Structures are given as C-alpha cells and as structure tokens.
Amino acid sequence: MGEAVLPGLMHPEDYARLGNGPERYDGVADGQVVECVYRMRHADGRWRWLQSRELVFLRDPDGRAVQILGAADDVTERRAAEETVRVLFEKSS
C-alpha cells in the first residue's frame, strides 16, 4: 500500500500507537509474526476494526525492514459481539 496511504485511512489514535513504515519492524526477528488490531476508515466513512498478521519480507544490507508482507481480517462484528457480552455480564453482576 505504501507509507502515504495509512495516515488518511487509519484511525488517528491507532496510527499514533502503531506508527507508520517498516522501521517499526526493525527489532522483529525473521519469521516472527506481528499481530495488530486497529481501525481503518471504510469507503462508506465508517470505522472498521481490522486484525492483521505481518512479517518482515525483505531487509536492507544493514538488517532494517524494507518490505512487510501481511494479511488483515475485518473483525468489526466480532468486536461488537464481545462488547455486547461484556456489557451484559456487567449488568448481570
């Protein structure tokens, strides 16, 4: 996607927490999968929760992460269901 895409799509709080660019993966071991949960703006303007799993695909000669490979799943409905269960549990206590 490139580094310029995320600031316009990712929720500002999540962008500040996760950062942007491959440099946040410099300390990640080769083959280590990094999981992240964050919000992205959908084409309809609503925020959707995504869970991604990423790993370093390519490093430069100095060992810094240059390319990241990953996949993301939309977990918005699961998070809403978990929140409903949490609220119901609190009300029943």
Side-chain angles (χ1 to χ4, degrees):
M1 290 186 344
E3 294 179 27
V5 174
L6 286 180
L9 294 177
M10 186 179 283
H11 192 282
E13 292 173 5
D14 299 331
Y15 184 79
R17 177 175 51 88
L18 294 174
N20 186 26
E23 63 276 353
R24 72 182 171 118
Y25 294 92
D26 287 347
V28 173
D30 287 342
Q32 180 182 348
V33 176
V34 177
E35 292 195 30
C36 301
V37 178
Y38 51 90
R39 291 160 287 183
M40 296 285 274
R41 187 175 303 280
H42 190 273
D44 66 9
R46 293 181 296 155
W47 292 108
R48 303 292 294 182
W49 283 97
L50 299 179
Q51 179 176 10
S52 67
R53 287 160 299 287
E54 304 165 335
L55 54 82
V56 176
F57 182 70
L58 180 67
R59 295 184 186 275
D60 69 11
D62 295 324
R64 291 184 302 251
V66 175
Q67 290 181 334
I68 308 304
L69 180 64
D73 294 312
D74 187 328
V75 294
T76 305
E77 291 178 13
R78 183 186 81 198
R79 288 188 63 101
E82 290 169 349
E83 179 64 14
T84 299
V85 169
R86 185 190 66 76
V87 169
L88 291 173
F89 181 76
E90 286 178 1
K91 285 183 179 182
S92 69
S93 296

